[in-house]
Amino acid sequence: MTTREILEQLQAGTIDLESALSELQGFEDLGHSRVDLAREARNGAPEVIYGEGKTSEQIREIMQSMAKREQNTLVTRLDTENAKALCQTFPDADYCPQARVLTRILAKPVPATTQVALVCAGTSDLPVAEEARLTLEFYGNPVATVYDAGVAGLHRLLASVETIRACRVVIVVAGMEGALPSVVGGLVDAPVIAVPTSVGYGSSFEGLSALLGMLNSCASGLSVVNIDNGFGAGFLANRINRL
Amino acid sequence: MTTREILEQLQAGTIDLESALSELQGFEDLGHSRVDLAREARNGAPEVIYGEGKTSEQIREIMQSMAKREQNTLVTRLDTENAKALCQTFPDADYCPQARVLTRILAKPVPATTQVALVCAGTSDLPVAEEARLTLEFYGNPVATVYDAGVAGLHRLLASVETIRACRVVIVVAGMEGALPSVVGGLVDAPVIAVPTSVGYGSSFEGLSALLGMLNSCASGLSVVNIDNGFGAGFLANRINRL
Amino acid sequence: MTTREILEQLQAGTIDLESALSELQGFEDLGHSRVDLAREARNGAPEVIYGEGKTSEQIREIMQSMAKREQNTLVTRLDTENAKALCQTFPDADYCPQARVLTRILAKPVPATTQVALVCAGTSDLPVAEEARLTLEFYGNPVATVYDAGVAGLHRLLASVETIRACRVVIVVAGMEGALPSVVGGLVDAPVIAVPTSVGYGSSFEGLSALLGMLNSCASGLSVVNIDNGFGAGFLANRINRL
Amino acid sequence: MTTREILEQLQAGTIDLESALSELQGFEDLGHSRVDLAREARNGAPEVIYGEGKTSEQIREIMQSMAKREQNTLVTRLDTENAKALCQTFPDADYCPQARVLTRILAKPVPATTQVALVCAGTSDLPVAEEARLTLEFYGNPVATVYDAGVAGLHRLLASVETIRACRVVIVVAGMEGALPSVVGGLVDAPVIAVPTSVGYGSSFEGLSALLGMLNSCASGLSVVNIDNGFGAGFLANRINRL
Amino acid sequence: MTTREILEQLQAGTIDLESALSELQGFEDLGHSRVDLAREARNGAPEVIYGEGKTSEQIREIMQSMAKREQNTLVTRLDTENAKALCQTFPDADYCPQARVLTRILAKPVPATTQVALVCAGTSDLPVAEEARLTLEFYGNPVATVYDAGVAGLHRLLASVETIRACRVVIVVAGMEGALPSVVGGLVDAPVIAVPTSVGYGSSFEGLSALLGMLNSCASGLSVVNIDNGFGAGFLANRINRL
Amino acid sequence: MTTREILEQLQAGTIDLESALSELQGFEDLGHSRVDLAREARNGAPEVIYGEGKTSEQIREIMQSMAKREQNTLVTRLDTENAKALCQTFPDADYCPQARVLTRILAKPVPATTQVALVCAGTSDLPVAEEARLTLEFYGNPVATVYDAGVAGLHRLLASVETIRACRVVIVVAGMEGALPSVVGGLVDAPVIAVPTSVGYGSSFEGLSALLGMLNSCASGLSVVNIDNGFGAGFLANRINRL
Amino acid sequence: MTTREILEQLQAGTIDLESALSELQGFEDLGHSRVDLAREARNGAPEVIYGEGKTSEQIREIMQSMAKREQNTLVTRLDTENAKALCQTFPDADYCPQARVLTRILAKPVPATTQVALVCAGTSDLPVAEEARLTLEFYGNPVATVYDAGVAGLHRLLASVETIRACRVVIVVAGMEGALPSVVGGLVDAPVIAVPTSVGYGSSFEGLSALLGMLNSCASGLSVVNIDNGFGAGFLANRINRL
Amino acid sequence: MTTREILEQLQAGTIDLESALSELQGFEDLGHSRVDLAREARNGAPEVIYGEGKTSEQIREIMQSMAKREQNTLVTRLDTENAKALCQTFPDADYCPQARVLTRILAKPVPATTQVALVCAGTSDLPVAEEARLTLEFYGNPVATVYDAGVAGLHRLLASVETIRACRVVIVVAGMEGALPSVVGGLVDAPVIAVPTSVGYGSSFEGLSALLGMLNSCASGLSVVNIDNGFGAGFLANRINRL
């Protein structure tokens, strides 16, 4: 809303004084949280709720604040117990336990016209890959998944190269040594977003080995997000896919 | 107490021989703990009890030793189970489970005349911020809180700049990349105490990323305490606020 | 060249047998190096020469191999001594000692129609920022630079927000705590590529603090490349800018 | 200067158009640097120049920009060669090679009425301690130094306890295990700023051991700045001393 | 037993063939463990059983093998569940849950004539200190304990300096910044064994800060054992005390 | 199967169209997993299932896919609960809880004619050693085990040197300081595969100390696999033993 | 030499008393070094001299001690200056400055009948690869080199797969993300020895990223040696190739 | 000197007022250094000068202060240039460039009656071993050296076991994997002091691997000093040897 619109609505009585104040300053202050009402205008998408370390009560209030403005809600890293409590308040919300993601769609997103490729190295990386997939679909992107295509059996990847090349952006999810993004990066001319996962043991050090591998990739056109950050990759891929 | 006072009280029979000995050597020896009776004289505040790794029995005895000298008690990092046991012995004690802090006030502290600003980056940082707040109030400081004002939505911070500038000291609590203290540090001329939190995942490495970020801040006038050490920040802020 | 074209040229005698063989297998084998002749077809740009750890003789031979195919050459991380030797062989090459980059343009790139923003936090980060700028220009992108806009003086950044928002992609270069990308990320809706630098001292640990800060950014739509990797950021930004 | 003052000076012809523009936007843009003209208003002190990674030419231009506004200049981490070049341009500047600090005083600072204690553990820590001392004096603080008072010979410290207790703020500089701040912190009721140094060898890991020691101090009322950051400690101590 | 003694016992029928073979090769092979029968001869004390990662069944068999040779048994890092199972088999064994140590004395050790000082920094370090104390007493050393004498209140330590100086060896146990051994080391002329503990939080990194602090001590005459290794310190102190 | 064989079987109706497609492309796509059917042809052994992070349902489907091709199955790092579920489906499978390994043998492997030595340092290393042993036996190798032969009692190792020397390959499993592979490496002329374990505490940092020790071994002819990777060592030893 | 042979030679006067003593105890004591004369008998190859940290005088004496026994000499990590001094004493020695290896052949090794494949990822890895090659040839192994076959251009590797598959052992040398061994490991059934190099910058942390990548490889049949340890890989490959 | 002696000497005029003051407070304050005059009384040996980071002028003044009290001087980690300057002032001083140690003996130490064993793993560890040897001899201890006895050739160590067993204390110096102390620790019943060195490359990480190896030793009766700290080991060994 522009400043003029806010004031007109106040005059018309469609919003109350508190709401007008929040809108003018760009956030609603809930005490524990300052819900960023201006984010969509600035960043192209409303705030996303990081679920870890928040109580279900806090998340509920943030979701209610956003719902007042008809914003779709995405909550990441939400454990099962909190999800259950929230789904009782918002029965139209969807929760995916594997990805620990809750979404609530109030207005369908405009579908993107180009696809995003989502490649992952092993079956054990699925929770992170699914977080990326749900994020991409939340923002209306068609996704082409190529799962379990790790470098130990290259033909599994090569069989899907044309699928990947047909996409505008590529996300590659991998744990252990994190070699897959380098190999994919050498085969395509689209931007590649690499997501290290904490899958592995011993000297994988909770994803450090995959992270370092991806940062030091010999392939160009590739960048990296945080360990297990499927959401971050999906959000960025949507942004690039929408250019 | 001065040496003369101790001896006079012994003569008068208001303290016993053991207590006189403890006072003269500056601590009471409980076997498992040497309660520092001289700390208030030296450091301006009585000992604070670090609750982790101590049994409720040990904490109880320390609290009783301090109570004999009419000292207010602050116990940090106390889990719920031990807190419950202690509250049975000391029904006038207050326990905050979010901050894991127990306080017992026997004598109201002299209120400070200037305020401390307490800024935190995200809702998930609240447990650490609340530990700082309870510590500040334990020592009698008025606190101005600005919660959930992280740098991803700068206007949420800028809306409160005047509040912060009106304070004599500023505490900034942040996890993840720990960027908020640098931004706040660039906006004020008061000393800034930065508190990294273990909030984040993947390559935050339990607060290491926020800690390093704050230590390497490009803003001047800023110093750092241990990860999640809300108490330490509150204690130091009180000390500066009282100058 | 397609297979048919290669064979026709061989028949026509415009290439010799060795060249035809190299083209068919997609690389020329120099013994020490296998120059990737198919990279442009696969990745949209010819191979880039990583100068570190190579002798000037090795680089010269790679450049000659690429020149035979009329490819523009970009050499990164090239020290002054090797640069001097190469400039004697290729007098039409340009060397920038600050960025340690050598470029040789045989065919002007098609200019891009949209701009890339290049923001950097401090004057000491310029060598990395300039490596990114030269890379962007090598591929034909107009660049809008905003240098020395670190978070300790936010107004220096805010003064250029419109310039940045007018670009299709944003590169942010920062050392020390690496907070700038988070702040920029909160202000724009374009993809942000963060480049940590090794600028800083003490606990910056050669860029580790900036790297961790960026990976853990609370802003969305942001990804990270290797420490001091100005080239990588420029290459990726070109790729996104060309979508 | 207030906006009115700037415009009046422009009208009066005492400043030119470019300068007026710079003043209004709060910085002067030198291309490589944006000199923060508003910092003194915001932070209580003008910008300080971080010398590392800058050319003497860049530093000279920044110093000239500041001199136009009659600001005192402090350059830290400046190597001997650059210092020499700058002293030729500014013969009234002072350079201390041990501390690698250059100062240029155009207007004497108002002297502070209370002292800062500056304690250091060993003779090898002097370069860092001296950087702190020069910073403190640059801002007009009287300094009481207690050098080489490490914990291996406690009486060397205890002999100066009264000197330290008479100060309003205490800086403690130490390398190796960094134990001195904890011991000092147990003896005073002033705020203590701990500065780890990179002095030590083997598992000191360039100051990491001292840094961790100080962050984990069992003494309260203590905070930490970056390894070898004598300037940061001096700047903060001045700020607290001026409260 | 010497080889001659073994053969004589075999002849006399006081040991069977299997035992004679074990004695001659210096160990008894239980399949999962090779019990080192020659260790006492070589190292002055029989094998000690590291309890972690072993089943109670495995430990029982090792204890039975040692009992056949009338050796006292010390089991470290034994959890409560396994301890319970073992105490049913060996009702004469003693288990200390705080220190997680089980001892079984079949023959009283010869008491040492000189004392070992055991100093610890905080009450939370007691489990490690008690492991050291039980080890020392297992080998017959009188122990002088000085508990909770951390450097934040030096007088608590100084009050016991004469007690410590009267001992032949000193063990110092500390967590957090691990400063206590340096201070003690500066006050005595006996060998000091420093034991870092995992007590602390945030950047103590499970004892790493204390470990590094102790390794980099500015006091001479001090050496370090593994984090939380109370047993190792006690064993070494016994060895030195017996010289 | 060769391409011709696949097509003939399709014609003969012994396989259906889907299977023929899978065989031709070298993998069967289960959605969550791409089972690598060509691995045996390329690598000499069928795929091994990494159990961690997979559901029992996913593992079951992979096992069924492999069973269709009469392949023996090895599942590593499988927890007890998933193992139980799988053993109900495949009653002919064997599960070893200590090693967390499940095997299902459909066709006996051809026995190797030479032995592999499997040495381990302590009883607590047995789970890793047993994972190696089960892997070796899964592939048909006779194994000579020498358990609990750590360097603190060298004679326990020296007593078995001839056993070890009689083998074609040697695996050495050790935690803590990981010194055993160096000592064994100095005594034999066979290839030595070193396996660090996470056994130890304090500064062993979950196996890092053993890993670094082995990588820096002063003995030649030795290489290292991941921490706790008994499977990897067994697989490689089989490969070398079969040369 | 057997004990009998030593004594017979002493009797015959072909060796002197000192030499006989050295032979009997298995080493010659030069004061600074104990040259291991028994290593060839135990390990199948004489001692190799690690050149770093030794003076040319020390190396000369070791070489002379070995020459007395007609042993070929291999010196690794030898700098140019020391090499020059040694080549004056031993004009028949060969020094390769790129690999920093000096060899002196007194007796031609028996040539191996099977080949070793030596694959390396980039031209900058050549010094390490060449150290491996010289070691392999020192022990008489034919080597098939495939240089600059990194994963960013897979066809460069795939073009040489048949060459690699024809070898009995494979060495793969790579820096940066160290992905090449995983890819090669997925294509062959021979043992693969992975050598991480310190090539890379920023977060490669001197080879740590490549090391971790290789240790966590998803391909089986692969093991790892120390960073830049071309010699170690060559030595082990020879041992396996000779089985 | 006792207080009485100091005052008597002042009265007698054998010392001046400044010296009397220094003696009474236990140190002489040189401005840059507080020379600890009471250390010998407290710790059994006068202060030792750590040469790194000190100017030759500073060291000279400390040495002169000590010479006034007839104290022998030991300077460690002194580079060649400073040593040269000091030897001109003190022609009776001895400098060993390999160990970087300068000693000046004014009064011969009382010789110890028992020996210290000094074992080192490789020739490249000699500089650290020699620092230990010079320290031991400075304090009057006879030293039995066993150099280059690393675990890759155990017989070189076993040949000297009796020599080592005849000593009262054992120092073991080793780089790389640091396995030697564990092996020696398993063979003797004397206290073992382990010294890790920075010898090694790649993942030795400047001595970290050896340090961790020694801290996690499976042998008991062993403790560790800082990386390359030959002096610390020598000092402690002297202290134990003198008990």
Side-chain angles (χ1 to χ4, degrees), chain E residues 49-61:
Chain E
I49 304 171
Y50 173 67
E52 217 156 271
K54 294 199 179 70
T55 64
S56 64
E57 187 50 47
Q58 292 169 337
I59 299 174
R60 181 177 302 115
E61 292 182 24

Side-chain angles (χ1 to χ4, degrees), chain B:
Chain B
M1 287 198 283
T2 62
T3 305
R4 167 174 291 271
E5 287 168 350
I6 297 164
L7 299 182
E8 285 175 354
Q9 291 204 11
L10 180 67
Q11 245 181 347
T14 45
I15 58 173
D16 59 17
L17 190 76
E18 277 309 307
S19 298
L21 275 169
S22 291
E23 291 292 342
L24 282 177
Q25 71 181 358
F27 62 88
E28 178 172 357
D29 196 339
L30 306 173
H32 54 75
S33 305
R34 300 189 156 190
V35 185
D36 189 345
L37 307 176
R39 189 161 297 181
E40 190 158 16
R42 282 189 340 269
N43 294 166
E47 202 170 356
V48 169
I49 304 170
Y50 173 68
E52 217 156 87
K54 294 201 179 68
T55 64
S56 64
E57 188 49 47
Q58 291 169 337
I59 299 174
R60 181 178 302 115
E61 292 182 25
I62 302 173
M63 288 182 70
Q64 282 161 342
S65 165
M66 294 178 71
K68 279 194 289 186
R69 283 148 195 98
E70 312 265 308
Q71 294 179 330
N72 293 338
T73 321
L74 176 64
V75 190
T76 63
R77 300 183 80 83
L78 185 70
D79 61 41
T80 314
E81 202 177 345
N82 278 344
K84 218 164 152 179
L86 290 166
C87 285
Q88 286 184 326
T89 309
F90 309 105
D92 56 343
D94 279 316
Y95 179 66
C96 166
Q98 186 184 26
R100 289 192 294 154
V101 159
L102 182 142
T103 52
R104 187 175 180 226
I105 301 289
L106 300 180
K108 276 250 160 140
V110 184
T113 54
T114 45
Q115 270 195 313
V116 176
L118 178 54
V119 188
C120 101
T123 307
S124 305
D125 299 314
L126 279 187
V128 179
E130 288 290 284
E131 190 189 57
R133 188 178 62 75
L134 289 170
T135 301
L136 284 165
E137 293 177 358
F138 177 81
Y139 292 117
N141 299 275
V143 184
T145 57
V146 180
Y147 282 178
D148 195 25
V151 300
L154 269 185
H155 61 295
R156 299 180 302 184
L157 174 69
L158 297 176
S160 299
V161 162
E162 288 322 308
T163 306
I164 300 170
R165 281 198 178 131
C167 293
R168 208 170 188 225
V169 201
V170 184
I171 294 174
V172 187
V173 179
M176 297 182 171
E177 81 272 57
L180 189 57
S182 290
V183 173
V184 172
L187 295 170
V188 303
D189 65 358
V192 176
I193 302 165
V195 190
T197 73
S198 53
V199 169
Y201 61 96
S203 63
S204 77
F205 297 125
E206 313 276 310
L208 180 63
S209 61
L211 172 65
L212 291 182
M214 292 170 182
L215 284 168
N216 288 288
S217 174
C218 57
S220 302
L222 186 152
S223 61
V224 187
V225 296
N226 202 349
I227 297 166
D228 290 336
N229 191 2
F231 158 71
F235 187 97
L236 175 58
N238 166 56
R239 191 171 270 191
I240 296 175
N241 198 31
R242 297 286 184 168
L243 281 180

Side-chain angles (χ1 to χ4, degrees), chain F residues 5-80:
Chain F
E5 285 168 350
I6 297 165
L7 299 182
E8 284 174 356
Q9 292 204 9
L10 179 67
Q11 242 180 350
T14 47
I15 59 174
D16 60 17
L17 191 73
E18 276 311 307
S19 299
L21 275 170
S22 291
E23 291 292 342
L24 282 177
Q25 70 184 354
F27 62 89
E28 177 171 358
D29 196 339
L30 305 173
H32 54 75
S33 304
R34 299 189 158 190
V35 185
D36 189 346
L37 307 177
R39 190 161 295 181
E40 191 159 14
R42 280 187 344 268
N43 294 167
E47 203 170 357
V48 169
I49 305 171
Y50 173 67
E52 216 156 271
K54 296 202 178 69
T55 63
S56 64
E57 188 49 47
Q58 291 168 337
I59 298 174
R60 181 178 302 115
E61 292 181 25
I62 302 174
M63 286 181 73
Q64 282 161 341
S65 164
M66 293 178 73
K68 278 193 287 185
R69 281 146 198 102
E70 312 265 309
Q71 295 181 327
N72 293 338
T73 321
L74 177 64
V75 190
T76 64
R77 300 182 80 84
L78 184 72
D79 61 38
T80 313

